[in-house]
Amino acid sequence: MRFDSAMDQQRHTQKQIDNCNRHSFPEISTHLAIEVHGAQVYSHKVFEEFQEEAKCSIGTCKSRGFTECGSLEVTTVRDANRDRNYEVTYCPDTLKATCSCRMLERKGIISRHVIWIYSSNGVKIIPEQCIVKRWCKDARLSKMFDCNGEATRTLI
């Protein structure tokens, strides 16, 4: 009985969070178009972390050097908050960017260094390959399949 009560409470809390994610829009704090896209894609909790990175990208990141290696652009980005340089590799054709801080691999959101590179290159949306599905607003909307590979129902 206690287990059922705890599960009911957990479901209720999750439904409240889902409702908030679907029917409200977080406040935008920068002029970056990529921040608006992040608010549309990410859940509110993850968007707060992304927004903090976007704010820091404006005030703390500066270019320290730039080289081209074929179709790749390698930029050294100076982060004044951390007093370090980071290497950001960017491919304008595919919009793929990787940073030596490895934040996308560690946390699942792009770093301030990558946001700075995207905004300085006029990228207005977060590329699909940089969006981790579990942090999205619609993460729980996925189909379940039986052992034959046929869709049985949708999780909500």
Side-chain angles (χ1 to χ4, degrees), residues 1-25:
M1 190 175 205
R2 288 182 186 177
F3 177 78
D4 289 339
S5 177
M7 291 305 295
D8 287 341
Q9 178 62 37
Q10 190 176 26
R11 285 186 198 102
H12 177 71
T13 304
Q14 187 61 50
K15 285 180 182 179
Q16 285 179 323
I17 293 169
D18 289 345
N19 187 48
C20 179
N21 282 332
R22 282 192 198 108
H23 301 293
S24 66
F25 196 78

Side-chain angles (χ1 to χ4, degrees), residues 74-142:
V74 180
T75 307
T76 303
V77 177
R78 177 75 177 166
D79 188 340
N81 273 358
R82 297 182 180 142
D83 198 29
R84 286 190 60 191
N85 292 333
Y86 295 93
E87 295 284 321
V88 179
T89 306
Y90 172 65
C91 179
D93 301 331
T94 62
L95 300 180
K96 182 171 172 52
T98 57
C99 182
S100 60
C101 74
R102 315 287 293 172
M103 186 168 178
L104 180 62
E105 291 80 5
R106 286 184 294 114
K107 287 189 167 186
I109 58 174
I110 56 178
S111 68
R112 62 189 72 180
H113 318 114
V114 173
I115 293 170
W116 187 81
I117 292 293
Y118 281 153
S119 63
S120 62
N121 283 292
V123 178
K124 296 186 181 346
I125 63 169
I126 304 166
E128 191 67 32
Q129 68 263 20
C130 296
I131 299 173
V132 178
K133 286 293 185 193
R134 70 178 180 201
W135 301 140
C136 295
K137 290 181 178 184
D138 61 353
R140 295 189 65 224
L141 298 173
S142 60

